Amino acid sequence: MATDIKDTAHAVEAAAVMRLLPARPRMLALGEPTHGENALLDLRNELFRQLVEEEGYRTIAIESDCMMGLVVDDYVTSGTGTLDEVMEQGISHGWGAFAANRELVRWMRACNVRADKEGRPASERLRFAGFDGPLEITHAASPRQALTALHDYLAARVDADLLPCTAQTLDRLLGTDDQWTNPAAMMDPSQSVGQSAEAGRLRLLADDLVALLDAQTPHLLLTTSRDDLDRARLYGRTATGLLRYHHWMADTSPARMTRLCALRDLMMAHNLLAVAARGPALVHAHNSHLQREKSTMQMWQGPVEWWGAGALVNARLGEGYAFVATALGTIRHRGVDTPPPDTVEGLLYALPEDRCVIDAPRLATALGDTLPAPRVSPWFGYSPLDPAHLANSDGIVFVKDVVPQSQERRAEAGD
C-alpha cells in the first residue's frame, strides 16, 4: 500500500499537475482547506508562475470580492494606482495584507510592464479577478455600486428612451446603504429590506438593464471595448445577484440558509464562467467552493448542503474544468498536529516529501473499497479531506507542515 501511494506522488509543479489531466483545462481550480496561510499562497503563486510560463495561462481568480478585484486588474494591466492602495482597496476579507498576495500582484504588474516594452499584444497581458460576490456569510453589500455603474455605462451609450429608469429613480429606490448592510439581518430576517416594495422594483429594473445590455451588444461592441462590455456584464451579474440574495435574506422558511449559501456560490460560478471565457485560468479558493461534490456546512440552525461553484462550473465545462484539492499534515500554531495514520492525511504524511502532488483517482484505486477514516480537526478553521471525495478530484497537493511565515524565515536563515 505504501508503495502504491508513493508511486502516485510527484513534485509540486505545473507539469506534474498537467500530467494528471486528459488535456489542458480552461479552468484549473486549486483548493485550500484553510484560509490565511502564506505558505499555501506562496505555493499558489509558484504554480501560477509556472502555468503562465509553461502552459500559456494568463488569468488568476481568487476568492475575493469581484467588484474590488477590478481595482487590482486595473493596476496589473495598466498601472492605475499604487501597490499599497491596490492591496488595501482591491482584495476583500483583509487578505490584501498578506505578503504572498502582495507579491502576486507585484509580479503580475512587472510581467505586464515587460510585455508592453516587448510589444506583445494585449491578449498576452496577465489578468486578475476576484470571483466572490460582494458578500460574506454574515452580510451582503448594497447593490448600489453595481447597479449604478451598469446604469451609467448604458446611459452613456444608448438612447435615453431605451433606459427603464433614470439614475435618480435608482437612487431613490436604493435609499441608504446601511439598511442593506445591516448585520442584524443575517440572524433576523425581519431586519432585511430585501423583500420591500422598493427592493422588488429594483430587481425588475436590474433585470431590464441587463436585458438592454444584452440587446445592445452589437452596438456596444462598436462603441466600446470588449473589456468595458465584460465589465458592464459583471456589474449586471453582481446587481441581480445581490438583489436576489437580499430577497432571500428576508425569507423565514427552513430553507433560508441553504438558499443563501447556494446563491453565493451561484454568483461565484457565473463569475468563473466569465473568466473562463477569456482563456485558461487558475482559480484559487477554499476546497469546499471548488469541489465537484455538494458542499456542506454546520450552521446555527443545523446542517446545510448545496452545490458549490466548482460543481456548477464543472457541469458547464466538463473536461474544461479540473480540480486539485490541497491537504495538510500539520498546522501546529492552530492546534492541528500530526494526523492519525488511518486517515488520508496520515497516509500522505508518511511520505518523505515535504510537499507533493498526488494522483487522486489512482490513490482511491490503491485504497480499494475500504476508505480511510475521516480526519477530525480540533480547529474550526481547517477542513480535512473527505475520503469519499478522492476519486472525484483530479489531484491532491499535499503540504506536510504549514508554519507561520516568521518561522519559515527563521528556518531559511538557519536559526
Side-chain angles (χ1 to χ4, degrees):
M1 177 67 70
T3 301
D4 291 339
I5 295 174
K6 192 174 189 312
D7 287 345
T8 73
H10 305 279
V12 182
E13 297 173 345
V17 173
M18 289 298 168
R19 283 195 294 271
L20 301 178
L21 311 173
R24 184 183 73 169
R26 182 162 288 272
M27 179 152 282
L28 174 58
L30 175 65
E32 63 176 1
T34 185
H35 288 315
E37 296 294 341
N38 265 303
L40 301 185
L41 301 179
D42 285 336
L43 186 151
R44 173 207 64 191
N45 291 355
E46 184 179 334
L47 185 62
F48 181 55
R49 282 193 291 270
Q50 294 174 9
L51 289 168
V52 168
E53 294 165 0
E54 301 168 16
E55 301 292 338
Y57 279 61
R58 289 292 177 264
T59 300
I60 188 168
I62 72 169
E63 188 184 337
S64 179
D65 184 324
C66 59
M67 295 289 287
M68 293 176 70
L70 298 174
V71 174
V72 183
D73 193 51
D74 284 344
Y75 176 77
V76 300
T77 56
S78 59
T80 304
T82 68
L83 182 56
D84 286 342
E85 291 168 346
V86 166
M87 298 315 296
E88 182 178 351
Q89 301 167 16
I91 298 180
S92 60
H93 302 84
W95 294 334
F98 284 86
N101 284 333
R102 184 183 183 90
E103 173 56 22
L104 171 69
V105 175
R106 187 209 62 76
W107 177 80
M108 292 176 71
R109 176 60 191 149
C111 286
N112 284 339
V113 169
R114 185 167 61 251
D116 288 344
K117 287 180 178 177
E118 294 171 356
R120 283 186 261 161
S123 61
E124 292 196 20
R125 287 180 185 160
L126 302 188
R127 302 291 300 270
F128 178 95
F131 73 90
D132 201 352
L135 47 83
E136 188 42 273
I137 199 65
T138 56
H139 65 277
S142 164
R144 177 184 302 279
Q145 181 187 5
L147 195 53
T148 56
L150 174 60
H151 187 278
D152 289 348
Y153 173 86
L154 288 167
R157 293 167 176 85
V158 303
D159 293 340
D161 291 345
L162 294 176
L163 294 168
C165 66
T166 65
Q168 291 75 21
T169 297
L170 285 183
D171 187 60
R172 176 177 57 79
L173 292 171
L174 284 162
T176 60
D177 285 346
D178 58 3
Q179 66 178 341
W180 295 96
T181 58
N182 178 8
M186 181 50 69
M187 301 298 291
D188 180 2
S190 69
Q191 297 291 311
S192 171
V193 297
Q195 293 188 17
S196 66
E198 291 82 1
R201 176 69 177 146
L202 285 168
R203 287 188 77 185
L204 291 173
L205 291 173
D207 183 68
D208 283 341
L209 287 168
V210 171
L212 179 59
L213 183 71
D214 289 341
Q216 291 293 313
T217 295
H219 165 69
L220 294 170
L221 282 175
L222 294 174
T223 58
T224 188
S225 70
R226 171 71 69 173
D227 279 351
D228 284 346
L229 179 57
D230 286 346
R231 185 165 292 203
R233 287 173 172 154
L234 171 62
Y235 297 150
R237 292 193 302 273
T238 305
T240 55
L242 279 174
L243 286 163
R244 188 179 299 116
Y245 192 90
H246 279 289
H247 176 89
W248 289 108
M249 281 186 76
D251 179 43
T252 57
S253 78
R256 177 177 182 261
M257 288 311 303
T258 298
R259 278 200 180 95
L260 291 180
C261 290
L263 287 174
R264 180 187 178 195
D265 270 85
L266 181 62
M267 290 179 71
M268 288 182 171
H270 287 161
N271 287 332
L272 288 177
L273 288 168
V275 167
R278 281 203 308 236
L282 175 69
V283 53
H284 186 247
H286 199 280
N287 287 331
S288 63
H289 288 304
L290 300 179
Q291 66 191 29
R292 291 185 173 96
E293 295 82 5
K294 271 191 168 181
S295 300
T296 60
M297 183 182 293
Q298 184 68 33
M299 306 197 76
W300 53 87
Q301 89 291 350
V304 295
E305 64 175 28
W306 69 97
W307 292 108
L312 296 171
V313 172
N314 181 72
R316 290 282 294 274
L317 297 185
E319 285 191 353
Y321 181 79
F323 170 56
V324 176
T326 297
L328 307 177
T330 71
I331 325 173
R332 298 191 196 279
H333 57 286
R334 300 293 189 184
V336 181
D337 291 319
T338 305
D342 60 344
T343 63
V344 174
E345 289 88 347
L347 293 169
L348 299 178
Y349 198 79
L351 297 174
E353 295 85 359
D354 289 332
R355 60 185 202 177
C356 56
V357 173
I358 304 292
D359 184 327
R362 277 189 63 195
L363 176 58
T365 300
L367 293 172
D369 295 332
T370 304
L371 289 175
R375 187 182 190 184
V376 178
S377 172
W379 177 49
F380 74 94
Y382 163 62
S383 301
L385 278 183
D386 185 335
H389 294 176
L390 276 179
N392 214 18
S393 301
D394 296 295
I396 300 168
V397 169
F398 182 70
V399 178
K400 182 170 275 188
D401 300 293
V402 174
V403 297
Q405 192 174 54
S406 59
Q407 292 183 30
E408 289 176 347
R409 287 174 176 166
R410 285 199 298 272
E412 290 170 0
D415 292 343

